[in-house]
Amino acid sequence: DDDDDDDDDDDDFTVFIEKILDILFQFSTGDTVVKSYFVKFEVLEHIWNAMPIIKDPQWLLKLVKCIRQLSSDANVLTELFRAGSIRQLIQLFKVEINDLKEKKKLDNQIFQSLFNLTKIDPKRQIAAARDGIIPYLKESIENNDAVKQLTLQMIINLGHVTEIRNILKKEKMQYFYMDIIKNNPSWVSNALDSLTQWLVNDIEFIKPVFLENIENIVEIFSMASDDAFQLIIESFHRLSSVESIAQELVTTDFIHFILSRLGYENIPAIRVKLLLILTSLFDYSTNQKKLVKEYNLALEIKPLINDDMILVSSQANELYAKCKNALKS
């Protein structure tokens, strides 16, 4: 009989907990006024304290769903952050759940919550990086998780924040960004932008990854659609401003692709960028005369001197004069 009483007690307790979780979930889906009470530190503190002692994965999942719901309201994100949500959520990745499916469900909810918390705020992105999110993002992308598009966006966002780069450096993330560039076509421009911005900040550390993958980089340039090209041109401008990378680019078909693009490119700003890249390659070339002769550079550039756009014509004029001088030497 005592055993039956214990079972009844357990059942009652389970029903009680589930009712509380249902009420919390209802509150988390309320309007901003309701949510603003929920995200106060004194309320959330009880939830964070409860999480490590909750053994039932379903209960834990429901609590994290509450946080995800709260994080979907931009008006309460500051309070949610102040209550230590980023650190607490990242700690939950360590929770051991035997059922892999349940574990994935929980992780996905955590990622969605963290994405909402960090997406437009560098301060929160820095907090997430310091609290150890990077290895979990890497793992999600490598495992091709259901939330991979979300975690790709998060890792790329982190790459744009200067204060995070030392953490990325420790994790050797430059190679991971290069893998994204090579293996995720829809993320090429974003990852390339992150990595070339990092390059400008830390040339000696980042340039080896570009030098080792120069053929892949040139292929991206040559194969880009018109829309994609507009998104990657600034990254290639940054690459050409680094001497050793510029010299390596000259050994490929890169100049051939630039000249080909100049022949039909309609957007003046892109024509200017292409000429700036060509000028960098010329300036850093170890044999300028050979370069001009090999690509018939003076003749290729000359028509652009009469371009209607003054920035195009002046940049073409400058490069043309350099080419003529190189031929005289």
Side-chain angles (χ1 to χ4, degrees):
D1 280 355
D2 286 348
D3 286 349
D4 288 345
D5 287 345
D6 286 347
D7 287 344
D8 287 343
D9 287 346
D10 286 348
D11 289 345
D12 289 346
F13 179 71
T14 300
V15 169
F16 176 67
I17 292 290
E18 285 175 353
K19 273 186 179 164
I20 289 174
L21 289 169
D22 286 338
I23 292 165
L24 287 173
F25 189 73
Q26 287 300 318
F27 277 126
S28 73
T29 59
D31 60 18
T32 298
V33 177
V34 174
K35 285 176 180 167
S36 63
Y37 284 108
F38 200 147
V39 296
K40 295 210 178 297
F41 177 74
E42 28 317 347
V43 178
L44 281 178
E45 188 183 19
H46 293 298
I47 290 176
W48 299 135
N49 289 339
M51 280 185 177
I53 51 174
I54 292 174
K55 299 298 177 216
D56 187 319
Q58 293 291 338
W59 293 355
L60 199 52
L61 183 64
K62 197 135 203 183
L63 271 181
V64 176
K65 279 184 176 176
C66 291
I67 304 299
R68 194 209 73 216
Q69 289 286 357
L70 294 169
S71 72
S72 65
D73 187 335
N75 297 301
V76 302
L77 289 177
T78 303
E79 283 293 327
L80 201 52
F81 172 54
R82 281 188 190 141
S85 302
I86 288 175
R87 181 179 292 117
Q88 295 287 355
L89 285 164
I90 292 169
Q91 288 299 314
L92 288 176
F93 285 123
K94 295 176 184 168
V95 170
E96 289 179 16
I97 297 171
N98 293 330
D99 185 331
L100 201 61
K101 228 175 183 176
E102 292 300 320
K103 173 70 175 146
K104 283 280 179 220
K105 276 187 198 170
L106 180 66
D107 287 355
N108 290 352
Q109 291 292 325
I110 297 168
F111 279 128
Q112 285 174 43
S113 306
L114 287 166
F115 176 77
N116 292 339
L117 270 159
T118 61
K119 62 183 168 187
I120 51 164
D121 193 307
K123 200 164 93 176
R124 289 180 220 147
Q125 288 164 2
I126 293 165
R130 286 181 179 154
D131 289 331
I133 197 174
I134 292 167
Y136 299 110
L137 292 174
K138 269 177 81 173
E139 193 181 344
S140 161
I141 294 162
E142 284 167 346
N143 293 343
N144 220 0
D145 282 349
V147 288
K148 182 182 174 181
Q149 296 306 307
L150 211 67
T151 50
L152 273 165
Q153 183 65 68
M154 289 171 82
I155 207 96
I156 282 162
N157 290 347
L158 296 184
H160 284 105
V161 184
T162 312
E163 295 88 337
I164 292 174
R165 290 195 183 124
N166 275 338
I167 302 169
L168 294 172
K169 209 169 174 173
K170 282 179 196 151
E171 301 274 351
K172 294 192 167 49
M173 286 296 288
Q174 72 275 32
Y175 291 101
F176 193 76
Y177 281 102
M178 183 56 74
D179 282 344
I180 295 173
I181 291 165
K182 283 155 57 174
N183 301 316
N184 296 273
S186 56
W187 290 94
V188 168
S189 60
N190 306 71
L192 195 56
D193 185 42
S194 278
L195 198 52
T196 54
Q197 282 193 44
W198 189 0
L199 171 75
V200 172
N201 261 196
D202 196 345
I203 289 172
E204 291 310 307
F205 184 73
I206 298 296
K207 72 178 183 184
V209 75
F210 280 109
L211 292 171
E212 289 160 26
N213 292 279
I214 209 79
E215 292 292 344
N216 298 92
I217 294 301
V218 171
E219 188 183 348
I220 287 163
F221 184 91
S222 69
M223 303 293 285
S225 66
D226 289 351
D227 288 344
F229 199 79
Q230 290 183 56
L231 301 172
I232 64 170
I233 187 71
E234 183 52 43
S235 293
F236 278 90
H237 185 213
R238 291 181 200 127
L239 286 170
S240 70
S241 68
V242 176
E243 185 174 0
S244 55
I245 295 174
Q247 288 172 348
E248 195 63 31
L249 284 167
V250 168
T251 68
T252 69
D253 288 331
F254 189 52
I255 291 179
H256 163 74
F257 295 130
I258 293 175
L259 293 172
S260 166
R261 189 91 203 184
L262 269 171
Y264 66 88
E265 180 55 63
N266 294 320
I267 301 172
I270 292 182
R271 290 208 299 277
V272 173
K273 278 276 163 28
L274 288 167
L275 286 165
L276 286 167
I277 292 168
L278 259 183
T279 305
S280 276
L281 299 180
F282 174 89
D283 289 344
Y284 287 131
S285 171
T286 52
N287 192 334
Q288 293 176 340
K289 188 173 186 175
K290 179 174 175 283
L291 190 74
V292 175
K293 284 184 168 179
E294 187 180 341
Y295 291 99
N296 215 351
L297 216 47
L299 207 66
E300 291 277 1
I301 297 304
K302 195 174 182 182
L304 291 164
I305 293 170
N306 301 315
D307 195 277
D308 292 339
M309 292 298 295
I310 189 142
L311 285 172
V312 176
S313 62
S314 72
Q315 192 56 45
N317 211 2
E318 183 190 321
L319 183 54
Y320 181 73
K322 287 181 175 188
C323 292
K324 296 302 272 183
N325 285 336
L327 290 171
K328 286 177 196 164
S329 62

